[in-house]
Amino acid sequence: MGKVAVAAAVVCAAAVSAGAVLVVRHRMRNSGKWAKAMDILREFEDRCGTPIAKLRQVADAMTVEMHAGLASDGGSKLKMLISYVDNLPTGDETGIFYALDLGGTNFRVLRVKLGGADNVKKEFTEVSIPSHLMTGTCEDLFDFIAGELAKFVATEGEDMHITAGTQRELGFTFSFPVKQSSIAGGTLVRWTKGFNIEDAVGQDVVDELTKAMERIGLDMRVSALVNDTVGTLAGGRYSNTNVIAAVILGTGTNAAYVERANAIPKWQGLLPKSGEMVINMEWGNFRSSHLPLTEFDENLDNASLNPGEQIFEKIISGMYLGEIVRRVLLKMAKEAEFFGETVPLKLETQFVLRTPDMSAMHHDSTPDLKVVATKLKDILEISNTSLKMRRVIVEVCETVATRGARLSAAGILGILKKIGRDTIKEGEEPQKSVIAMDGGLFEHYTKFRKAMQTAMDELLGEEASNNILIELSNDGSGLGAALLAASHSQYREYIEST
Ligand code: ADP
Ligand code: MG
């Protein structure tokens, strides 16, 4: 070999080894970043842990708060609102009634013809609420609702006409905290779920709706004002007498249950004949030192429209689950360059990752996680992810959903304990208890629903869990509101006496 050739070979070898060093360094840096991302993930998982012992503490705390909220107004984070519903439907209700369901992104208008428990004809329409109305004025919101209601009334067919000379009646499902003064009246305590219409707080929502209907000349009487949980309970009871509670897991979350009227110290009215009263817990506002909260939950809360409020809701309901996932991914992007050197811009936008999209990623059963890749690309404009990265993203979804689902189960156990239905009493015939469930999260997020059932079974043990059923009561709340309008109809005595 000549001198030149030797020199060239040496230079070449040097270049190769320098290159190799660069690759190794790059790999080391990458593996350092990967390790950092894994640290973030593991720490998040640890903090979200919901072992059975913790769930029991949460359930006990729920029971304690229920007692406190029933004892006095303001006695607890749980408002434990008296619904004035002391008689649940029997199945004998008849007639044509309207219902309106306002409480989230969509609102529904319903027309129901009641002719006995298995003879119900329903017609409905669903309208999404323009977002500017969610933070506008009270009058604008109610004018919009009354307008949509009037349009729907105009579509009444021949077989759905009310008796000549009578007034149409409406059950109004209004799924925000309301302090009721009667079955058909109550003032708004505060907004939740992204609504924030200041001049409506403290107003009687039935008056506001009635005024809006008058403004457009729609002649209709609001005969019952109910929360969606109360409506779901009523709707569920219509077809199953074992229904004792209702839980909503949708945009927000809440629960209602049947309480003994003499176990409500703050109830100042006459004891109802039935001896029972439906309580709207407003459980979304539950909080306890036992809740497994993380830095992401704290930051989400601080940035929300209602900081410090609805903490339970903010870790279990549909409005927030996707947002928690986004916040975890954002930290991984910022501190571990999880998606590369720059943080994807879209990932910085609050609420871009919605729970249905999180759910789609979580349920991705393709071997290479194609759905995850597509969602990342379409929603966050992130491409070129490795399978390994996509697996991490699924794991974040799994952690967030599982925590929410298991805490929901703990909440239900709290209710069952309060009414003594969590165990089978020795020597007694086992009683069946049914929890009527509704809401898009419970209905569509299969892995959430399954994790919740698993936690329920673990908490109750085999024998008790055989007698406690968690059942989807699809749109029970609309039917329930119509049924409650029927049982509080101005023509009730006339109907009963004919
Ligand atoms: P609302 O609670 O607004 O009255 P729904 O009960 O229909 O309405 O619930 C809608 C919510 O359910 C959405 O905001 C979303 O969080 C959740 N949701 C809807 N579809 C899905 C899905 N496929 N997977 C997970 N969550 C879903
Ligand atoms: Mg709803």
Side-chain angles (χ1 to χ4, degrees), residues 280-295:
N280 162 18
M281 292 175 62
E282 289 297 334
W283 89 354
N285 200 39
F286 172 71
R287 80 181 298 170
S288 152
S289 57
H290 298 299
L291 288 179
L293 295 174
T294 69
E295 62 183 284

PDB file of all heavy atoms in Angstrom, residues 280-295:
ATOM      1  N   ASN A 280     -80.796  14.747  44.695  1.00  0.00           N
ATOM      2  CA  ASN A 280     -79.806  15.013  43.653  1.00  0.00           C
ATOM      3  C   ASN A 280     -78.502  15.377  44.353  1.00  0.00           C
ATOM      4  O   ASN A 280     -78.363  16.444  44.924  1.00  0.00           O
ATOM      5  CB  ASN A 280     -80.310  16.161  42.767  1.00  0.00           C
ATOM      6  CG  ASN A 280     -79.188  16.786  41.940  1.00  0.00           C
ATOM      7  OD1 ASN A 280     -78.126  16.174  41.761  1.00  0.00           O
ATOM      8  ND2 ASN A 280     -79.412  17.984  41.441  1.00  0.00           N
ATOM      9  N   MET A 281     -77.556  14.466  44.286  1.00  0.00           N
ATOM     10  CA  MET A 281     -76.333  14.638  45.081  1.00  0.00           C
ATOM     11  C   MET A 281     -75.417  15.769  44.614  1.00  0.00           C
ATOM     12  O   MET A 281     -74.675  16.327  45.370  1.00  0.00           O
ATOM     13  CB  MET A 281     -75.522  13.338  45.084  1.00  0.00           C
ATOM     14  CG  MET A 281     -76.195  12.221  45.837  1.00  0.00           C
ATOM     15  SD  MET A 281     -75.277  10.668  45.685  1.00  0.00           S
ATOM     16  CE  MET A 281     -73.709  11.071  46.449  1.00  0.00           C
ATOM     17  N   GLU A 282     -75.421  16.032  43.319  1.00  0.00           N
ATOM     18  CA  GLU A 282     -74.393  16.903  42.728  1.00  0.00           C
ATOM     19  C   GLU A 282     -73.002  16.376  43.109  1.00  0.00           C
ATOM     20  O   GLU A 282     -72.136  17.103  43.588  1.00  0.00           O
ATOM     21  CB  GLU A 282     -74.588  18.368  43.144  1.00  0.00           C
ATOM     22  CG  GLU A 282     -75.801  19.025  42.504  1.00  0.00           C
ATOM     23  CD  GLU A 282     -75.736  19.114  40.972  1.00  0.00           C
ATOM     24  OE1 GLU A 282     -74.631  19.146  40.400  1.00  0.00           O
ATOM     25  OE2 GLU A 282     -76.813  19.136  40.337  1.00  0.00           O
ATOM     26  N   TRP A 283     -72.812  15.090  42.854  1.00  0.00           N
ATOM     27  CA  TRP A 283     -71.580  14.449  43.305  1.00  0.00           C
ATOM     28  C   TRP A 283     -70.332  14.894  42.525  1.00  0.00           C
ATOM     29  O   TRP A 283     -69.214  14.625  42.945  1.00  0.00           O
ATOM     30  CB  TRP A 283     -71.733  12.934  43.390  1.00  0.00           C
ATOM     31  CG  TRP A 283     -71.424  12.116  42.167  1.00  0.00           C
ATOM     32  CD1 TRP A 283     -71.115  12.561  40.923  1.00  0.00           C
ATOM     33  CD2 TRP A 283     -71.347  10.682  42.116  1.00  0.00           C
ATOM     34  NE1 TRP A 283     -70.885  11.499  40.078  1.00  0.00           N
ATOM     35  CE2 TRP A 283     -71.017  10.337  40.794  1.00  0.00           C
ATOM     36  CE3 TRP A 283     -71.527   9.662  43.046  1.00  0.00           C
ATOM     37  CZ2 TRP A 283     -70.863   9.015  40.377  1.00  0.00           C
ATOM     38  CZ3 TRP A 283     -71.377   8.356  42.635  1.00  0.00           C
ATOM     39  CH2 TRP A 283     -71.061   8.033  41.323  1.00  0.00           C
ATOM     40  N   GLY A 284     -70.547  15.570  41.406  1.00  0.00           N
ATOM     41  CA  GLY A 284     -69.396  16.081  40.664  1.00  0.00           C
ATOM     42  C   GLY A 284     -68.520  16.994  41.511  1.00  0.00           C
ATOM     43  O   GLY A 284     -67.326  17.142  41.256  1.00  0.00           O
ATOM     44  N   ASN A 285     -69.131  17.602  42.523  1.00  0.00           N
ATOM     45  CA  ASN A 285     -68.372  18.533  43.376  1.00  0.00           C
ATOM     46  C   ASN A 285     -67.705  17.836  44.567  1.00  0.00           C
ATOM     47  O   ASN A 285     -67.084  18.483  45.403  1.00  0.00           O
ATOM     48  CB  ASN A 285     -69.298  19.642  43.877  1.00  0.00           C
ATOM     49  CG  ASN A 285     -68.526  20.864  44.339  1.00  0.00           C
ATOM     50  OD1 ASN A 285     -67.533  21.241  43.725  1.00  0.00           O
ATOM     51  ND2 ASN A 285     -68.953  21.458  45.439  1.00  0.00           N
ATOM     52  N   PHE A 286     -67.835  16.512  44.611  1.00  0.00           N
ATOM     53  CA  PHE A 286     -67.185  15.764  45.701  1.00  0.00           C
ATOM     54  C   PHE A 286     -65.679  15.959  45.624  1.00  0.00           C
ATOM     55  O   PHE A 286     -65.091  16.036  44.547  1.00  0.00           O
ATOM     56  CB  PHE A 286     -67.532  14.281  45.540  1.00  0.00           C
ATOM     57  CG  PHE A 286     -66.784  13.354  46.462  1.00  0.00           C
ATOM     58  CD1 PHE A 286     -67.061  13.330  47.825  1.00  0.00           C
ATOM     59  CD2 PHE A 286     -65.796  12.499  45.974  1.00  0.00           C
ATOM     60  CE1 PHE A 286     -66.380  12.471  48.679  1.00  0.00           C
ATOM     61  CE2 PHE A 286     -65.109  11.638  46.813  1.00  0.00           C
ATOM     62  CZ  PHE A 286     -65.406  11.622  48.176  1.00  0.00           C
ATOM     63  N   ARG A 287     -65.055  16.075  46.778  1.00  0.00           N
ATOM     64  CA  ARG A 287     -63.601  15.977  46.806  1.00  0.00           C
ATOM     65  C   ARG A 287     -63.184  15.418  48.152  1.00  0.00           C
ATOM     66  O   ARG A 287     -63.922  15.500  49.134  1.00  0.00           O
ATOM     67  CB  ARG A 287     -62.921  17.305  46.497  1.00  0.00           C
ATOM     68  CG  ARG A 287     -62.855  18.288  47.657  1.00  0.00           C
ATOM     69  CD  ARG A 287     -62.183  19.569  47.241  1.00  0.00           C
ATOM     70  NE  ARG A 287     -60.798  19.347  46.825  1.00  0.00           N
ATOM     71  CZ  ARG A 287     -60.046  20.279  46.242  1.00  0.00           C
ATOM     72  NH1 ARG A 287     -60.546  21.463  45.971  1.00  0.00           N
ATOM     73  NH2 ARG A 287     -58.800  20.034  45.916  1.00  0.00           N
ATOM     74  N   SER A 288     -62.020  14.814  48.176  1.00  0.00           N
ATOM     75  CA  SER A 288     -61.558  14.170  49.390  1.00  0.00           C
ATOM     76  C   SER A 288     -60.045  14.054  49.291  1.00  0.00           C
ATOM     77  O   SER A 288     -59.492  13.951  48.189  1.00  0.00           O
ATOM     78  CB  SER A 288     -62.195  12.775  49.470  1.00  0.00           C
ATOM     79  OG  SER A 288     -61.360  11.902  50.194  1.00  0.00           O
ATOM     80  N   SER A 289     -59.403  14.053  50.442  1.00  0.00           N
ATOM     81  CA  SER A 289     -57.942  13.905  50.435  1.00  0.00           C
ATOM     82  C   SER A 289     -57.553  12.514  49.917  1.00  0.00           C
ATOM     83  O   SER A 289     -56.407  12.278  49.557  1.00  0.00           O
ATOM     84  CB  SER A 289     -57.399  14.107  51.844  1.00  0.00           C
ATOM     85  OG  SER A 289     -58.017  13.179  52.707  1.00  0.00           O
ATOM     86  N   HIS A 290     -58.534  11.605  49.869  1.00  0.00           N
ATOM     87  CA  HIS A 290     -58.229  10.253  49.385  1.00  0.00           C
ATOM     88  C   HIS A 290     -58.231  10.162  47.854  1.00  0.00           C
ATOM     89  O   HIS A 290     -57.810   9.147  47.298  1.00  0.00           O
ATOM     90  CB  HIS A 290     -59.229   9.243  49.950  1.00  0.00           C
ATOM     91  CG  HIS A 290     -59.180   9.168  51.445  1.00  0.00           C
ATOM     92  ND1 HIS A 290     -58.048   8.788  52.129  1.00  0.00           N
ATOM     93  CD2 HIS A 290     -60.109   9.453  52.381  1.00  0.00           C
ATOM     94  CE1 HIS A 290     -58.286   8.828  53.432  1.00  0.00           C
ATOM     95  NE2 HIS A 290     -59.530   9.237  53.613  1.00  0.00           N
ATOM     96  N   LEU A 291     -58.736  11.184  47.180  1.00  0.00           N
ATOM     97  CA  LEU A 291     -58.746  11.124  45.708  1.00  0.00           C
ATOM     98  C   LEU A 291     -57.310  11.164  45.186  1.00  0.00           C
ATOM     99  O   LEU A 291     -56.517  12.002  45.614  1.00  0.00           O
ATOM    100  CB  LEU A 291     -59.530  12.303  45.121  1.00  0.00           C
ATOM    101  CG  LEU A 291     -61.040  12.278  45.288  1.00  0.00           C
ATOM    102  CD1 LEU A 291     -61.651  13.538  44.679  1.00  0.00           C
ATOM    103  CD2 LEU A 291     -61.653  11.037  44.649  1.00  0.00           C
ATOM    104  N   PRO A 292     -56.990  10.277  44.258  1.00  0.00           N
ATOM    105  CA  PRO A 292     -55.632  10.291  43.699  1.00  0.00           C
ATOM    106  C   PRO A 292     -55.485  11.402  42.669  1.00  0.00           C
ATOM    107  O   PRO A 292     -55.754  11.208  41.496  1.00  0.00           O
ATOM    108  CB  PRO A 292     -55.517   8.905  43.045  1.00  0.00           C
ATOM    109  CG  PRO A 292     -56.922   8.491  42.753  1.00  0.00           C
ATOM    110  CD  PRO A 292     -57.829   9.204  43.706  1.00  0.00           C
ATOM    111  N   LEU A 293     -55.069  12.578  43.126  1.00  0.00           N
ATOM    112  CA  LEU A 293     -54.938  13.720  42.216  1.00  0.00           C
ATOM    113  C   LEU A 293     -53.473  13.911  41.809  1.00  0.00           C
ATOM    114  O   LEU A 293     -52.568  13.608  42.584  1.00  0.00           O
ATOM    115  CB  LEU A 293     -55.447  14.991  42.894  1.00  0.00           C
ATOM    116  CG  LEU A 293     -56.939  15.013  43.230  1.00  0.00           C
ATOM    117  CD1 LEU A 293     -57.296  16.257  44.026  1.00  0.00           C
ATOM    118  CD2 LEU A 293     -57.786  14.938  41.968  1.00  0.00           C
ATOM    119  N   THR A 294     -53.284  14.420  40.615  1.00  0.00           N
ATOM    120  CA  THR A 294     -51.925  14.620  40.096  1.00  0.00           C
ATOM    121  C   THR A 294     -51.713  16.095  39.762  1.00  0.00           C
ATOM    122  O   THR A 294     -52.668  16.876  39.770  1.00  0.00           O
ATOM    123  CB  THR A 294     -51.715  13.821  38.796  1.00  0.00           C
ATOM    124  OG1 THR A 294     -52.526  14.420  37.773  1.00  0.00           O
ATOM    125  CG2 THR A 294     -52.103  12.357  38.966  1.00  0.00           C
ATOM    126  N   GLU A 295     -50.477  16.426  39.409  1.00  0.00           N
ATOM    127  CA  GLU A 295     -50.174  17.802  38.986  1.00  0.00           C
ATOM    128  C   GLU A 295     -51.025  18.198  37.776  1.00  0.00           C
ATOM    129  O   GLU A 295     -51.409  19.356  37.615  1.00  0.00           O
ATOM    130  CB  GLU A 295     -48.690  17.931  38.625  1.00  0.00           C
ATOM    131  CG  GLU A 295     -48.310  17.037  37.459  1.00  0.00           C
ATOM    132  CD  GLU A 295     -46.822  17.061  37.103  1.00  0.00           C
ATOM    133  OE1 GLU A 295     -46.391  18.045  36.502  1.00  0.00           O
ATOM    134  OE2 GLU A 295     -46.124  16.079  37.444  1.00  0.00           O
TER     135      GLU A 295
END
